[in-house]
Each structure stands twice: as structure tokens, then as C-alpha cells.
Amino acid sequence: GAVVSQHPSWVICKSGTSVKIECRSLDFQATTMFWYRQFPKQSLMLMATSNEGSKATYEQGVEKDKFLINHASLTLSTLTVTSAHPEDSSFYICSAWGGQRDQPQHFGDGTRLSIL
Amino acid sequence: LAKTTQPISMDSYEGQEVNITCSHNNIATNDYITWYQQFPSQGPRFIIQGYKTKVTNEVASLFIPADRKSSTLSLPRVSLSDTAVYYCLARGYNTDKLIFGTGTRLQVFP
């Protein structure tokens, strides 16, 4: 089945640091990639949608200057959390979609971000 | 996007069949109904999706009545490893955006 790889799986860093998370579709071309965050015991919350070569579309309440998204190729999207603070600590998950109506989104295994 | 409603939690025992029903009264004509499974500290894993009637794969069946206002995920003979959160979503035709609801936390006991 379709595989989406997310890296790193876990990162701890100091407050004020910027952190980049990569999302790769390994065996298909992803016309659209999505970024979610999930707090403990809660559901996934969609942060933004990105199409290859276009600017990302952010959901209401998500700061585009804080969460920079780049989707430079059909197999790679990156999320950069700029000047991270403890409140940005969360589980970040990406998904990728190949653009065919009868095919679902496939998710990465998430990145646990802890800001000290 | 259609909002989905499903039970917050369910309990079962190993070897039993589990049916999780999801309500989506406002589903759009072209929306697919999609189910995912999520274990702690992992991303959601696709289980099954359908448009109407019945769909079956190697792990589950999905029943969708003619009015498409609800759907039922059926897991045959669950095991302890099926303990997870199950999400029902209506997948939009034009955007493929997914809005996750609360999901159903399934606990399987020995």
C-alpha cells in the first residue's frame, strides 16, 4: 500500500528554536499534502493544505508565519515551526493524497515535538 | 464538509464482531465515507472507504444504506490489537479535506 514517511519521529529542542519536519510520499506522487496537529487524548486538527508548487492554505486560527509550509515537489512537503515555544509542543502528522477520487489520504507516523 | 457523529467509546471482547455506526446526515452527493484507525503515537491508518451499499476488504466491511445518512464499520472477530480509536469521515469531492471528529475509542478485552 501507499507509504508516507515522516521525519523526525521525535524532537526535543529549546524555546526559540526553529524545527523542520519532513513528509515524503515514498511510492506515489502527492498532488496535495496536509498537516495536522494532535494534542493528547484529542482528535486531529487540520492546520493547512498544500499543493505542489503553490502556497499553502491555512485553516482559521493557524498562524502562517509561525508554521511555514513548503511543498516543492510531488513527493516532499516540509513544515517548519519557527521560534518554537512550549505551547507549540504537540504531535504533528502529515498526510498525502495522489489526486485520484477513489484513493484515500495516507498518513505519516507523526512527529512528537517537545519544546523546553 | 459533512459533520460525522459516532459513539465516544465501545467495549468488546476478543473474538466478537464489532459494529461502529457513524451518522452523517448532511453528507454531500459525491462524498466518500472513509474510516481510519489510530493507535497511540501513530498516524491514522486507512481501513476502508465506500460510496454506497457494501464494501469489504481483508480487515473490515462497510455498510452504507441507500440514503447514505449513516454508515457502519464492521470488524469481524476482533483481537486485543484492534484496541484503537476509529474515525469516520466524509471525504469531500472537490477538496479532499478531512475534518476529524472525536472518533470512537474501542477497547477490546481478553
Side-chain angles (χ1 to χ4, degrees), chain A residues 32 34 36 38 41-46 49 59 91 93 95 97 100-110 112, chain B residues 30 32 34 36 38 40-46 49 87 91-103 105:
Chain A
T32 308
F34 304 84
Y36 300 80
Q38 185 175 32
K41 302 292 186 184
Q42 294 187 22
S43 185
L44 284 77
M45 184 192 79
L46 179 65
T49 302
E59 294 299 302
F91 191 51
I93 310 171
S95 71
W97 181 53
Q100 294 177 307
R101 294 294 349 144
D102 61 343
Q103 295 301 309
Q105 288 182 30
H106 293 279
F107 287 78
D109 268 339
R112 176 75 56 193
Chain B
N30 293 324
Y32 278 90
T34 310
Y36 286 88
Q38 187 182 27
S41 298
Q42 294 185 24
R45 184 174 71 98
F46 171 74
Q49 75 172 9
Y87 293 99
R91 185 159 72 85
Y93 184 82
N94 292 320
T95 69
D96 204 64
K97 223 165 129 168
L98 293 178
I99 304 299
F100 281 77
T102 57
R105 190 171 298 273

Side-chain angles (χ1 to χ4, degrees), chain A residues 3 6 19 25 37 41 70-71 77-78 84 94 96 102 107 111:
Chain A
V3 178
Q6 198 170 330
V19 179
S25 56
R37 67 188 298 182
K41 302 292 186 184
N70 183 276
H71 190 167
S77 176
T78 60
C94 72
D102 61 343
F107 287 78
T111 296

Side-chain angles (χ1 to χ4, degrees), chain A residues 41-62:
Chain A
K41 302 292 186 184
Q42 294 187 22
S43 185
L44 284 77
M45 184 192 79
L46 179 65
M47 298 175 67
T49 302
S50 75
N51 292 295
E52 184 261 341
S54 303
K55 286 186 179 180
T57 301
Y58 291 82
E59 294 299 302
Q60 190 172 6
V62 178

Side-chain angles (χ1 to χ4, degrees), chain A residues 20-85:
Chain A
K20 181 184 283 189
I21 302 169
E22 290 187 349
C23 179
R24 294 181 184 272
S25 56
L26 298 185
D27 54 357
F28 68 101
Q29 293 187 324
T31 57
T32 308
M33 286 187 170
F34 304 84
W35 288 94
Y36 300 80
R37 67 188 298 182
Q38 185 175 32
F39 292 107
K41 302 292 186 184
Q42 294 187 22
S43 185
L44 284 77
M45 184 192 79
L46 179 65
M47 298 175 67
T49 302
S50 75
N51 292 295
E52 184 261 341
S54 303
K55 286 186 179 180
T57 301
Y58 291 82
E59 294 299 302
Q60 190 172 6
V62 178
E63 301 174 59
K64 61 179 69 175
D65 294 330
K66 162 69 90 173
F67 300 101
L68 301 179
I69 292 172
N70 183 276
H71 190 167
S73 78
L74 285 172
T75 59
L76 174 65
S77 176
T78 60
L79 168 68
T80 301
V81 184
T82 62
S83 186
H85 293 286

Side-chain angles (χ1 to χ4, degrees), chain B residues 61-101:
Chain B
S61 295
L62 177 61
F63 300 91
I64 306 168
D67 65 6
R68 299 193 349 113
K69 292 184 183 298
S70 68
S71 60
T72 299
L73 174 72
S74 181
L75 304 172
R77 296 180 299 282
V78 294
S79 63
L80 295 176
S81 62
D82 293 316
T83 293
V85 178
Y86 292 82
Y87 293 99
C88 162
L89 301 108
R91 185 159 72 85
Y93 184 82
N94 292 320
T95 69
D96 204 64
K97 223 165 129 168
L98 293 178
I99 304 299
F100 281 77

